[in-house]
Amino acid sequence: MFTRSVAVIGAGYVGLTTGACLASLGHRVVCADRDQAKVEQLRLGQVPILEPRLPELVTEGQAAGRLRFVVDAAEAVRDAEVVYLCLPTPMGVGGVADLSAVESVLAQIRHLLPAGCVVVNKSTVPVGTAARTRDLLDRADITVVSNPEFLREGSAVHDFLHPDRIVVGSDQQDAAERVAALYARLGAPAVLTDAASAELVKYAANCFLAMKLSYVNAIAELCERLDANVRDVTEGMGYDRRIGQAFLSPGPGWGGSCLPKDVHALLQVSDGADFEFRLLRATIDTNTRQFQRIVDKIRVAVTGNRQGSLRGVRIGLFGMTFKAGTDDLRDSPALAVAALLRQAGADLAGYDPALVAGREQPELRGITVVNDPMTAADDASALVVLTEWPEFRGLDWARLAGVVARPIVVDTRNLLDPDVAGRAGFCYHGLGTRPHEATATPRPRTELAALVP
Ligand code: UGA
């Protein structure tokens, strides 16, 4: 079997997935992270993020002796043939990606890299970073390669092991081929290109996805105005293979740690290149407007008109993470909606299967986080589904109807079956569909305390 010695610097979402998956493909991997506590946890097989199959791969890799965790980047790179940089590149001032983590690691390892090794930029970095990395390294014997990742949180391991494509960019073709060969067992098409093009692929792809979502959210709004049904419209669109069914679900807006950061970064890059990327700006504006549109929808559902007041109105939020299958709250659209609801004076209780009440999380300020859906629903004048956790569909909606102050549900993910909600006594408001009246009288209201044995 073809194996290489690989160092991965940074054991966050991208680095840990990359390290564990490369080890599962047979490579010898050393993962470095400066966070000592995290490294100790990982050595015990404890993975600090919610990511299916990752704990198993971390344990298996270590047991097989193919995966090691260290604190010191210098130790990790000592015998490496390929060094992956998987470092955070947060959005800095004015939407410019902040590369200080990459710069500081390069300063630390540049003299220690074995002759002839390849440095791979895996994180999403601005176009031109490979060239900059080369300058910072200032080592003629080392090649820099861009190999963007296309991992979704919540299915990162699956995405790594079943990629649609591998993109590798370098000005030295042999180095690009060496990196592409690491993934040979996956059998995915490889796009070998120059470094700038590889870097741009990542932004172009993420921004396209964001644009697709803003588009579908706008179509959903139009459906409401034209009395059409967005479920059928998107199904009809999605069968066109040029469009595809994926990423056609309307929602409260798109978010997470990647899409918002990347659209702003590409806008910045475009400005810098003297190109006015109006389509991208409209994509962002549509998303910002979407948060307010959801609040307006809740306002109309609760008060009957667009000017009604939400002051003192208790609202139960179902879901706070930016999407289902993750515990990540970064740039969560659910929290953007919650912030606007709070500004409007609403009183918020929130339940999310991935969150535990009582943990101090600054993002959740102003929301009373509770550990079960019944408590979130208690005495609420509306329940709002903000994250598409499948388990919300299977809740006992008749029971929930028995503890709310008013049986109104606003489903910003079109997740629930409107008939089930209606039969439980709820008036159902989805996106891009007609409101669905209750078809049964809800249970008489019961004090939640009376239900607790
Ligand atoms: C995104 C991309 O999908 C990955 O390909 C990419 O590798 C990753 O960013 C990255 O740059 O690292 P991720 O941020 O994990 O992945 O999240 P997505 O699954 O793309 O979801 C983004 C947002 O769009 C979420 O708020 C989600 O709820 C929303 N969404 C997604 C919808 O509202 N409707 C949909 O149909 C799909």
Side-chain angles (χ1 to χ4, degrees):
M1 189 168 49
F2 166 83
T3 60
R4 287 252 184 242
S5 290
V6 176
V8 177
I9 313 297
Y13 271 109
V14 174
L16 191 53
T17 308
T18 301
C21 289
L22 285 175
S24 83
L25 293 178
H27 302 295
R28 296 178 302 276
V29 180
V30 186
C31 254
D33 198 291
R34 62 178 185 179
D35 180 342
Q36 172 118 31
K38 189 198 266 187
V39 166
E40 275 160 20
Q41 259 188 310
L42 288 167
R43 284 178 180 157
L44 297 172
Q46 293 164 3
V47 172
I49 49 173
L50 187 65
E51 201 55 63
R53 286 189 59 205
L54 197 50
E56 290 86 333
L57 289 191
V58 166
T59 305
E60 283 162 23
Q62 292 188 98
R66 285 194 301 266
L67 180 62
R68 281 197 302 126
F69 293 98
V70 298
V71 176
D72 189 7
E75 184 187 340
V77 303
R78 194 181 302 135
D79 300 313
E81 295 164 275
V82 182
V83 176
Y84 278 86
L85 301 180
C86 300
L87 296 159
T89 54
M91 189 156 54
V93 186
V96 188
D98 173 0
L99 290 183
S100 50
V102 175
E103 285 167 7
S104 102
V105 165
L106 288 177
Q108 194 191 339
I109 63 172
R110 60 178 288 269
H111 291 300
L112 307 167
L113 294 170
C117 88
V118 178
V119 170
V120 183
N121 266 329
K122 190 83 179 155
S123 316
T124 307
V125 288
V127 179
T129 301
R132 186 162 163 63
T133 306
R134 224 170 17 241
D135 291 345
L136 288 167
L137 280 171
D138 193 22
R139 294 245 328 239
D141 60 329
I142 289 177
T143 314
V144 177
V145 165
S146 164
N147 170 219
E149 54 83 18
F150 301 100
L151 312 174
R152 287 164 302 173
E153 281 185 30
S155 57
V157 170
H158 177 272
D159 292 348
F160 192 102
L161 297 175
H162 303 91
D164 291 336
R165 77 301 207 186
I166 302 290
V167 177
V168 190
S170 172
D171 301 331
Q172 300 212 10
Q173 201 63 13
D174 59 324
E177 283 167 10
R178 262 164 76 193
V179 173
L182 292 173
Y183 305 98
R185 276 185 58 199
L186 300 176
V191 178
L192 299 186
T193 180
D194 59 274
S197 301
E199 287 164 344
L200 192 55
V201 168
K202 178 58 193 271
Y203 286 103
N206 270 4
C207 293
F208 187 85
L209 293 173
M211 184 182 73
K212 197 173 180 188
L213 293 174
S214 279
Y215 183 80
V216 85
N217 283 335
I219 290 291
E221 183 167 355
L222 197 56
C223 284
E224 287 174 24
R225 290 170 190 242
L226 301 179
D227 201 19
N229 185 337
V230 76
R231 289 181 202 256
D232 299 341
V233 173
T234 51
E235 189 186 354
M237 285 166 66
Y239 280 120
D240 185 328
R241 268 173 296 200
R242 293 168 304 174
I243 297 174
Q245 298 284 358
F247 266 69
L248 280 188
S249 305
W254 40 267
S257 63
C258 305
L259 264 45
K261 168 171 84 72
D262 292 355
V263 286
H264 283 102
L266 189 58
L267 207 52
Q268 194 70 35
V269 165
S270 307
D271 285 349
D274 210 12
F275 173 60
E276 199 183 346
F277 205 151
R278 290 194 189 177
L279 191 56
L280 204 51
R281 205 170 281 286
T283 297
I284 298 172
D285 292 345
T286 304
N287 201 45
T288 309
R289 191 172 162 275
Q290 184 70 0
F291 307 140
Q292 187 59 52
R293 179 173 118 70
I294 299 296
V295 173
D296 292 344
K297 206 173 165 65
I298 297 166
R299 192 189 298 279
V300 171
V302 173
T303 70
N305 71 73
R306 288 178 67 94
Q307 272 70 48
S309 169
L310 289 176
R311 193 149 295 282
V313 171
R314 187 171 155 87
I315 295 178
L317 309 177
F318 280 21
M320 283 165 279
T321 54
F322 84 95
K323 65 174 184 179
T326 174
D327 54 1
D328 198 338
L329 294 170
R330 285 177 290 176
D331 262 311
S332 170
L335 297 183
V337 170
L340 292 174
L341 285 171
R342 252 190 350 260
Q343 264 175 34
D347 173 14
L348 306 177
Y351 165 71
D352 190 296
L355 304 177
V356 181
R359 285 216 191 122
E360 276 298 304
Q361 271 171 296
E363 298 97 324
L364 296 171
R365 210 169 293 133
I367 304 174
T368 307
V369 178
V370 297
N371 281 336
D372 70 286
M374 290 293 278
T375 311
D378 187 27
D379 208 23
S381 291
L383 302 182
V384 182
V385 177
L386 288 166
T387 310
E388 75 286 20
W389 287 102
E391 66 178 81
F392 293 158
R393 212 179 282 138
L395 292 175
D396 186 343
W397 284 89
R399 238 175 132 234
L400 287 164
V403 298
V404 294
R406 295 179 60 199
I408 295 171
V409 59
V410 178
D411 179 4
T412 73
R413 296 282 187 169
N414 287 352
L415 175 78
L416 310 178
D417 181 338
D419 291 329
V420 170
R423 281 198 299 275
F426 277 96
C427 180
Y428 173 90
H429 302 260
L431 291 192
T433 56
R434 246 184 240 167
H436 194 282
E437 292 303 325
T439 48
T441 315
R443 283 187 192 176
R445 185 170 140 64
T446 324
E447 287 302 322
L448 182 62
L451 295 174
V452 179

